[in-house]
Amino acid sequence: NAGVTQTPKFQVLKTGQSMTLQCAQDMNHEYMSWYRQDPGMGLRLIHYSVGAGITDQGEVPNGYNVSRSTTEDFPLRLLSAAPSQTSVYFCASSYRQITNTGELFFGEGSRLTVL
Amino acid sequence: SQELEQSPQSLIVQEGKNLTINCTSSKTLYGLYWYKQKYGEGLIFLMMLQKGGEEKSHEKITAKLDEKKQQSSLHITASQPSHAGIYLCGAVGGSNYKLTFGKGTLLTVNP
């Protein structure tokens, strides 16, 4: 069972470069989301999607773009990377509304360093 | 926005000891979720509490929800090295789709 798969696991960028973090899930989950985790800040929601074609902003959306063209995939794009975006990024998914079960399935994370 | 404060921030216990982690919300809790994270890995769902006074257990981990105090506690009985990790509480506020997390409690269990 693959679950939630994130790629790449590690990435080093230079300031101003662009890149896409990939996230795929094989559980037919409607809900997908991206979090970033920083020391002392905890997990913060960047963007989320409740289905194909539907996305919305979380707490810290600036500097990130998302799209949801299929149920399975939810890529996170950094258009012009900044050192402040150095972080560990987690993709998570769930069947429907979180309040139903509370269970988000997380990927293993993508560690991004922006120099 | 809803804020969750966890205490303590870190905890070191000897194997076999009991411990408690608290999570306090700045707003009314409509549901409280506990997750565990091992170093370098993603989060694993432990349990969800939705009703005041509700108590759930997962192996040797028990969590309770006190709606009046806007607080939840997670208690580990007879801790083991396998319990080590970061425990995070989460809550849904304002939207059924936005799960906000506390900053986590780092638990170390010494053998």
Side-chain angles (χ1 to χ4, degrees), chain A residues 31 35 37 40-43 45 48 50 57-59 90 96-104 106-109 111, chain B residues 1 30 33 35 37 39-45 47-48 50 86 88 92 95-104:
Chain A
Y31 177 87
Y35 286 87
Q37 186 175 37
M41 300 297 291
L43 276 166
L45 181 64
Y48 66 95
V50 298
Q57 296 180 349
E59 297 174 71
F90 288 97
R96 280 185 181 170
Q97 293 182 26
I98 298 167
T99 48
N100 286 351
T101 66
E103 184 168 9
L104 278 178
F106 281 81
E108 293 186 347
R111 187 175 295 272
Chain B
S1 62
Y30 296 103
Y33 312 89
Y35 284 77
Q37 182 181 26
Y39 181 77
E41 299 181 11
L43 280 68
I44 302 295
F45 174 77
M47 60 192 85
M48 174 179 72
Q50 286 190 306
I86 301 172
L88 297 99
V92 175
S95 164
N96 289 336
Y97 302 105
K98 293 184 179 180
L99 184 58
T100 302
F101 287 94
K103 294 181 180 178

Side-chain angles (χ1 to χ4, degrees), chain A residues 29-106:
Chain A
H29 283 169
E30 295 181 358
Y31 177 87
M32 296 186 73
S33 57
W34 277 102
Y35 286 87
R36 59 177 289 174
Q37 186 175 37
D38 303 289
M41 300 297 291
L43 276 166
R44 291 179 292 170
L45 181 64
I46 305 172
H47 285 286
Y48 66 95
S49 168
V50 298
I54 307 170
T55 64
D56 205 349
Q57 296 180 349
E59 297 174 71
V60 288
N62 293 339
Y64 307 95
N65 280 352
V66 292
S67 60
R68 185 97 178 268
S69 56
T70 67
T71 300
E72 295 78 19
D73 301 299
F74 190 45
L76 179 71
R77 299 184 185 85
L78 285 70
L79 298 179
S80 179
S84 61
Q85 293 179 303
T86 293
S87 186
V88 181
Y89 292 85
F90 288 97
C91 179
S93 71
S94 70
Y95 180 55
R96 280 185 181 170
Q97 293 182 26
I98 298 167
T99 48
N100 286 351
T101 66
E103 184 168 9
L104 278 178
F105 293 81
F106 281 81

Side-chain angles (χ1 to χ4, degrees), chain B residues 54-67:
Chain B
E54 186 174 13
E55 181 175 319
K56 285 189 177 178
S57 293
H58 173 76
E59 297 177 346
K60 291 187 177 180
I61 302 174
T62 300
K64 299 179 185 179
L65 178 63
D66 186 332
E67 268 186 347

